[in-house]
Amino acid sequence: MKRALTLMGMLFATVLTGTQAASANEYPLPPSGSRLIGENIIYNVSNAGHSLEAIAAEYKIGLLGMLEANPGTDPYLPTPGSALTIPTQMLLPDTPREGIVVNLAELRLYYYPKGKNKVIVYPIGIGQTGMNTPLKVTSISQKIANPTWTPTANIRKRYAEQGEILPAVIPAGPENPMGLFALRLAMGQGEYLIHGTNANFGIGMRVSSGCIRLRPADIEALFNTIPQGTRVQIINEPVKVSVEPDGKRYVEVHQPLSRVASDDPQTMPISLSKKQKAFADDQQTDLPVFESAVVRRSGMPVLVSVGQDPADVSFAPVEPQSANNDIPAEAPISSVN
C-alpha cells in the first residue's frame, strides 16, 4: 500500500495526458476444464520518454500489474532499450463464467458477455486500505450516463481534514471524478459503483474510496454492452491455480491486499485455500517452484509441473510501440467513489 500511494503522487506529474487508453483485452474462452488464456508480450522500451503508466495504458494493463511483472522498473521513465514483460497471459478466476467477476487482489475485472464465447478483461482501480469494496455476489442495479457526484459525509470529512472543501455536488462532465459513465451495484445503500475517472492515473492501483474505477474508454465500452441486472461477483484471491487439460499445472500469484498502511504486500503472508494446498502438495506439482512463485508474486501464470521448465511460457510477438442510460443525466450520485 505504501508503494501504491507513493506512485500515485508521482504519476500526477509524469503521466502523459495525451495518451488514449485503448479498449480492454478480449480473449476467446478456453475449453471446458481449462482456465489459461492469452500470451505475454515482450515490449522493447523506446527513446520516446513514455512513463510506465503510458505503456500500461497502451496494452490495457494496470500499473501495479506492470510492476509485479517487471520489479525494479522506474515508473517515471523505464530505461530505453530495456525489455518489459506485458502480462497479458492469466488464469481465469475459479468462478462461474457469468456476468462480471472482479478479483480485487489482481486488480482486474472479467466480463463474460452472455451468449458470447469470450471474456473481456479490464484493469481497475479499487479502494484504499480501510476503504475496501465488499466481497459479494450482487448485480448491476442502474446504468447512469453523465453522472454527477455527491460526495458522502465521510469523503467530505476526509477531504476537509486535508484542507480541501468539496462542493456539495460536482456536476456531470469531463472534470467529474466519476467520469462519464457509472454502473451502480445492488449492495449497501447504492454507494458502490463501477465508474470511470477524469484522471490518467490510478488504474491498477488502490486509489478509490471503495468504488471500482476503469479507464474512460473501458467504462464506456462496458457501459454500452452490459445489460442492467447483470450478475457481479467480487472476490479477493491473490492466488489462482489450474490443472490444464494437457496436464500442465499453473499457479498465478499476486501481491495480497494490505490490511493496514504498514503492510508490505510483497512480503506479507498469503493464506492458501484447501484446494490450493492440495494442489501444492500433489506429487505432480514441483513444490519448490510453487513456493518460489508465491515468494516472487509476479502476477503471471507460472508452470509448476514436475519435470517442466517454469520459464516455458509463450510470448506473443509484438513490434515496439509508443504509448499513445436509464436515468436522467442530471441525476446525482452519492458514492464512495
Side-chain angles (χ1 to χ4, degrees):
M1 182 58 193
K2 291 185 292 185
R3 182 176 69 176
L5 291 175
T6 301
L7 287 170
M8 183 177 67
M10 292 192 299
L11 288 168
F12 270 111
T14 61
V15 170
L16 299 180
T17 56
T19 297
Q20 296 297 314
S23 60
N25 289 320
E26 294 189 9
Y27 302 84
L29 284 179
S32 177
S34 173
R35 290 168 50 209
L36 184 69
I37 61 173
E39 295 178 301
N40 292 327
I41 293 170
I42 293 297
Y43 174 92
N44 294 312
V45 180
S46 70
N47 293 311
H50 297 308
S51 68
L52 192 63
E53 161 62 21
I55 298 170
E58 179 78 15
Y59 287 94
K60 290 75 71 180
I61 302 295
L63 180 60
L64 289 186
M66 286 291 291
L67 287 169
E68 282 183 336
N70 303 277
T73 300
D74 186 344
Y76 284 111
L77 186 63
T79 303
S82 64
L84 299 178
T85 298
I86 310 294
T88 46
Q89 185 180 62
M90 64 200 74
L91 297 175
L92 293 175
D94 191 10
T95 60
R97 298 178 183 180
E98 178 185 353
I100 284 175
V101 176
V102 173
N103 190 354
L104 300 174
E106 61 177 309
L107 294 152
R108 285 186 184 131
L109 181 155
Y110 297 84
Y111 174 44
Y112 301 92
K114 189 173 183 178
K116 306 286 187 180
N117 191 40
K118 66 179 180 180
V119 59
I120 308 172
V121 184
Y122 299 93
I124 58 174
I126 65 170
Q128 303 171 43
T129 300
M131 303 175 191
N132 299 325
T133 306
L135 307 181
K136 194 176 182 67
V137 176
T138 182
S139 64
I140 300 295
S141 64
Q142 195 175 38
K143 295 175 63 176
I144 309 157
N146 298 310
T148 59
W149 179 41
T150 303
T152 64
N154 285 338
I155 290 177
R156 293 173 62 83
K157 179 181 178 181
R158 190 169 75 250
Y159 274 75
E161 290 172 348
Q162 299 171 357
E164 184 175 351
I165 305 301
L166 289 177
V169 178
I170 296 180
E175 300 306 315
N176 190 303
M178 298 189 68
L180 300 178
F181 302 93
L183 302 168
R184 192 187 301 276
L185 300 180
M187 61 187 196
Q189 301 300 313
E191 68 270 31
Y192 293 98
L193 300 102
I194 301 170
H195 62 76
T197 179
N198 65 340
N200 287 328
F201 69 93
I203 302 304
M205 297 173 65
R206 300 189 66 181
V207 293
S208 81
S209 297
C211 284
I212 296 165
R213 295 185 187 179
L214 278 75
R215 291 188 176 110
D218 289 347
I219 186 61
E220 181 175 5
L222 182 62
F223 184 92
N224 288 334
T225 57
I226 195 165
Q228 185 169 320
T230 295
R231 179 183 190 269
V232 177
Q233 182 174 3
I234 302 171
I235 63 175
N236 176 20
E237 297 182 0
V239 178
K240 298 183 288 183
V241 298
S242 178
V243 180
E244 292 296 295
D246 61 3
K248 290 183 178 179
R249 309 172 73 85
Y250 291 90
V251 63
E252 177 182 326
V253 186
H254 295 264
Q255 293 181 347
L257 299 182
S258 54
R259 296 178 294 270
V260 295
S262 59
D263 282 340
D264 181 353
Q266 185 58 42
T267 59
M268 62 187 292
I270 295 179
S271 297
L272 300 180
S273 68
K274 289 183 178 179
K275 182 176 181 179
Q276 292 163 355
K277 290 178 181 177
F279 176 93
D281 292 337
D282 192 282
Q283 292 183 349
Q284 298 303 312
T285 297
D286 190 325
L287 185 57
V289 176
F290 179 93
E291 292 175 339
S292 177
V294 173
V295 172
R296 169 65 177 82
R297 305 176 187 189
S298 70
M300 298 180 290
V302 176
L303 184 60
V304 294
S305 300
V306 168
Q308 297 280 343
D309 182 354
D312 183 17
V313 295
S314 57
F315 288 85
V318 65
E319 293 297 324
Q321 299 184 32
S322 59
N324 303 308
N325 300 319
D326 294 325
I327 65 172
E330 66 272 13
I333 298 178
S334 178
S335 83
V336 296
N337 194 24

